[in-house]
Amino acid sequence: MSDLKLYTRVVRTGDGGSRFEDGALPLTERRIADGVPPMFTGGLSASAAVTFLRSADFDSDPHPAPREQWVVMVRGAIEVEVSDGERRRFGPGDLVFVSDTTGRGHVTAAIGEPPFEALFVPAPCPSGVD
């Protein structure tokens, strides 16, 4: 049996801007360890160390991502605006893959009560992810 975890990608456009794309991470049901019921798993292969970030102020100027990376929302919420003006909000449990590493990038703003907390997982987008 398989399932999907939906996520959002922020990608660079041909004109140097950014836009959102919807993606799906394939999940496969498997037994992780004896005595533990089967769980759905999906791979987010890391190319470097995972970074935990906590910030009371996360508002930014337009910026490209420092590298292709997964952002795993842990606490708080952010709103990301891409260069065409579209905005999306992300909160705990949401996955965002940012790959707009050149060009004008995107703008990030904290929403609600601080602090904002997230895990940043540097990695190229895994093959087989839509």
Side-chain angles (χ1 to χ4, degrees), residues 63-120:
H63 66 284
R67 69 192 61 78
E68 288 189 340
Q69 62 188 353
W70 290 97
V71 180
V72 183
M73 300 295 296
V74 176
R75 180 178 178 187
I78 59 171
E79 182 175 79
V80 177
E81 181 179 351
V82 291
S83 59
D84 68 3
E86 183 181 357
R87 295 176 183 188
R88 293 190 186 181
R89 288 188 177 191
F90 304 100
D94 287 335
L95 289 176
V96 181
F97 185 81
V98 292
S99 61
D100 60 334
T101 58
T102 60
R104 293 186 301 272
H106 57 276
V107 175
T108 307
I111 304 297
E113 292 296 315
F116 159 79
E117 295 178 345
L119 296 174
F120 289 78

